[in-house]
Amino acid sequence: MRLLLSVCVFCLLGCSEGQDRATLWRGNDHSGRCQYTFTVPSPSETSCSPTVSGGPEMEGLKARLSLLEVLVARLTGGEIGGPGAGSQSQAGLQEALTQAMGERILLQGEKERLERDVEGLQRRMEEMRRETERLQSRPCYPQPPLLPPSIPLQDSGLRPAGGAGVLSHLVSRPGRQWDTGSLRDPAWQYGGNPVLQELKAEVTEIPAPSPEGPEDSTGCGELISIGEPVSHRKADSIAGKYGVWMQDPEAVAPYGGKMVWRIDTVGSEVRQLFGYEDMDQLSKGFPSKVLLLPEPVESTGATLYRGSLYYQRRRSRTLLRYDLVSESIASRRDLPHAGFHGQFPYSWGGYTDVDLGVDEQGLWAVYSTNKAKGAIVVSQLDPHSLAVKRSWETSIRKTSVANAFVICGRLYTVASYTAPNTTINFMFDTATGQGKEVALPFRNKYRYNSMVDYNHAQRKLFAWDNFHIVSYDVRLGRQ
């Protein structure tokens, strides 16, 4: 009917004016149906009004738009490309969606990790700000005059900065030649003339005899006093801000008791273990051995014992025993219920949730758990399997103390990591299961002590104080 009507209009208009020109337009409407349209010139109008829409161009655009809509509808409905194309397209879209969801989960995890790191940094910045305000509010005291250079060193009570006078049995063998180009440690810089360092040292005060009784130089006893810190080396890069240094108190071949080991713990992938033949080579920055640990280290809680390095794996409660001879992991075990990665650290932070140490009685772990509600738990470990042999829960919160160490089965805690003159403020005896407050003077010479461990072979405390490797002599009473 529509085609017939168009033909009649053509006859009425075109024939009456003697026109023989007409246009046939064929195209689909918006619903995809085919339409035929005849057009003829107007007998009286030279142009159409601007308000009138239509014409072949407009109809062509509409037709093409309708065709595109039909093609899109067929494509999304699986009608293009044969019977299997729709299912293939749907499978591809599903795979892309699954991949996008996986990437979203990974990005979300990375975002949460970064947020935790940022929160940790903000806490550290706040602690540093408070410490800066505290230091600025303190009065300045005049420095004591230097001793005249004419006083002999052996009579003046000076301690050498390099530790030569204190650790004379660790001096390197004469005549040894070193390749300074290949063994020079880039993180350390030799301090220059040792004589100048000796002139800068402070006078060592000899502690008065303790009312608790005479010193026991061979066996075990309660801690009586701690000497002045002796500096052995200073790191000159940010990687050495915090760290741990160790000597094996019960060394086995091929490494002897003079071998010194060091780990710089600043960084997200701490895996390098530096070895030095003795204290003299450490002070000069010449490592003789560099080992790459197979799994990263968490913080400053590592220790050495009977030829193995014991440490906590990063971001976990897993303890590892790394054999120095085979250079491989000899055993591993989770420390049951132990907090890790910032749950129960020492007061200075640094993810120091698990602190390992060695004394005359064996291997120890200092940590906390949710069950203990943040109180220090000390456990004795089997040095081969890392299994817990026995545990004790103390009454002092781990986050309230700066560090801890074990001597003769007794746990001692350090009150502050920044105060230059602080104290050993608590002692817990595993033999009796009882703890008590104590007040033994302790010095943080460089005002940021991030590691304190005991070495029973040398009867010294080893510490890492704000880039500085230091040690302290200790005096023990008789049993």
Side-chain angles (χ1 to χ4, degrees):
M1 179 64 72
R2 188 172 181 176
L3 179 59
L4 179 60
L5 180 60
S6 298
V7 173
C8 294
V9 172
F10 165 72
C11 293
L12 291 173
L13 295 178
C15 296
S16 62
E17 295 295 329
Q19 301 291 336
D20 58 356
R21 291 180 294 115
T23 303
L24 173 64
W25 182 259
R26 179 178 178 271
N28 292 331
D29 61 6
H30 66 280
S31 63
R33 296 177 60 187
C34 182
Q35 285 187 333
Y36 292 85
T37 305
F38 289 93
T39 61
V40 295
S42 173
S44 59
E45 296 175 311
T46 58
S47 64
C48 295
S49 172
T51 60
V52 180
S53 60
E57 292 80 0
M58 182 61 68
E59 293 297 330
L61 290 175
K62 290 181 179 179
R64 284 192 290 272
L65 179 58
S66 300
L67 179 60
L68 288 175
E69 290 175 349
V70 172
L71 290 175
V72 170
R74 292 180 179 177
L75 179 60
T76 55
E79 299 177 7
I80 302 298
S87 59
Q88 293 175 1
S89 176
Q90 185 176 3
L93 290 174
Q94 183 64 36
E95 182 180 358
L97 178 60
T98 303
Q99 183 178 357
M101 292 295 293
E103 292 176 355
R104 179 179 179 275
I105 293 173
L106 292 176
L107 290 174
Q108 184 67 25
E110 184 66 15
K111 177 187 174 185
E112 293 175 357
R113 184 188 68 80
L114 292 175
E115 288 176 348
R116 289 194 298 269
D117 291 345
V118 169
E119 290 176 359
L121 290 174
Q122 289 175 345
R123 289 195 299 270
R124 292 299 312 282
M125 290 175 65
E126 181 63 22
E127 292 175 2
M128 294 176 69
R129 185 188 63 78
R130 291 196 298 266
E131 182 63 21
T132 300
E133 293 176 355
R134 188 187 65 80
L135 293 175
Q136 289 175 347
S137 64
R138 294 186 57 189
C140 295
Y141 298 99
Q143 295 293 329
L146 293 175
L147 293 175
S150 59
I151 298 179
L153 178 62
Q154 60 271 22
D155 298 332
S156 64
L158 294 177
R159 287 181 179 268
V166 181
L167 303 174
S168 58
H169 63 291
L170 297 181
V171 177
S172 61
R173 295 185 295 275
R176 177 171 292 277
Q177 300 296 323
W178 294 91
D179 182 2
T180 59
S182 60
L183 291 180
R184 185 65 179 177
D185 182 1
W188 300 76
Q189 184 179 355
Y190 182 48
N193 192 338
V195 177
L196 296 179
Q197 294 181 351
E198 292 170 353
L199 292 177
K200 294 178 182 178
E202 298 180 0
V203 176
T204 301
E205 297 179 3
I206 300 176
S210 171
E212 300 180 14
E215 178 184 2
D216 184 357
S217 59
T218 57
C220 263
E222 190 169 330
L223 182 62
I224 297 175
S225 65
I226 300 172
E228 290 291 300
V230 178
S231 302
H232 303 289
R233 189 63 202 157
K234 178 184 178 182
D236 57 2
S237 73
I238 189 61
K241 171 70 174 179
Y242 320 123
V244 54
W245 72 286
M246 306 154 285
Q247 286 184 293
D248 195 337
E250 300 181 24
V252 298
Y255 304 112
K258 294 183 179 181
M259 192 80 176
V260 184
W261 301 89
R262 181 193 108 237
I263 303 175
D264 298 335
T265 59
V266 175
S268 59
E269 285 290 322
V270 177
R271 296 176 60 191
Q272 285 187 325
L273 175 64
F274 296 92
Y276 304 83
E277 286 200 348
D278 50 36
M279 293 296 298
D280 183 59
Q281 298 304 315
L282 172 71
S283 67
K284 295 177 181 178
F286 294 141
S288 60
K289 189 79 173 178
V290 179
L291 299 176
L292 187 65
L293 301 175
E295 300 186 46
V297 179
E298 182 87 305
S299 197
T300 60
T303 192
L304 271 175
Y305 187 50
R306 296 179 180 175
S308 293
L309 172 72
Y310 296 83
Y311 69 96
Q312 174 194 3
R313 189 186 186 279
R314 184 174 182 265
R315 287 183 175 272
S316 73
R317 58 172 59 93
T318 303
L319 303 182
L320 302 174
R321 178 168 75 89
Y322 178 80
D323 184 75
L324 295 175
V325 177
S326 64
E327 300 182 6
S328 62
I329 299 295
S331 57
R332 69 172 65 225
R333 185 182 293 269
D334 283 358
L335 187 58
H337 312 296
F340 63 95
H341 204 66
Q343 288 182 285
F344 304 108
Y346 289 128
S347 59
W348 73 271
Y351 302 127
T352 51
D353 300 76
V354 178
D355 190 8
L356 302 175
V358 173
D359 75 342
E360 295 83 351
Q361 298 181 13
L363 179 65
W364 299 87
V366 179
Y367 59 103
S368 188
T369 65
N370 288 326
K371 181 180 178 181
K373 299 180 180 179
I376 289 181
V377 176
V378 56
S379 295
Q380 191 170 22
L381 307 179
D382 183 281
H384 297 286
S385 66
L386 301 176
V388 174
K389 298 167 66 175
R390 191 176 178 187
S391 295
W392 296 261
E393 184 178 320
T394 70
S395 60
I396 189 168
R397 294 182 64 82
K398 191 167 184 294
T399 56
S400 68
V401 299
N403 229 300
F405 53 90
V406 181
I407 299 179
C408 298
R410 298 179 177 91
L411 173 75
Y412 297 90
T413 63
V414 183
S416 172
Y417 62 94
T418 56
N421 296 296
T422 185
T423 60
I424 305 299
N425 63 345
F426 182 81
M427 186 273 289
F428 181 86
D429 192 345
T430 59
T432 63
Q434 300 296 318
K436 66 178 182 179
E437 294 183 0
V438 296
L440 300 175
F442 183 84
R443 285 201 62 199
N444 295 312
K445 184 175 181 179
Y446 302 102
R447 303 188 179 186
Y448 209 102
N449 216 328
S450 59
M451 165 251 173
V452 181
D453 275 343
Y454 175 61
N455 185 293
H456 62 270
Q458 299 188 36
R459 190 156 289 192
K460 293 179 184 293
L461 292 179
F462 290 177
W464 196 294
D465 190 357
N466 200 13
F467 294 95
H468 293 78
I469 284 180
V470 298
S471 63
Y472 305 78
D473 289 325
V474 298
R475 298 179 67 245
L476 305 179
R478 295 189 182 276
Q479 288 277 45

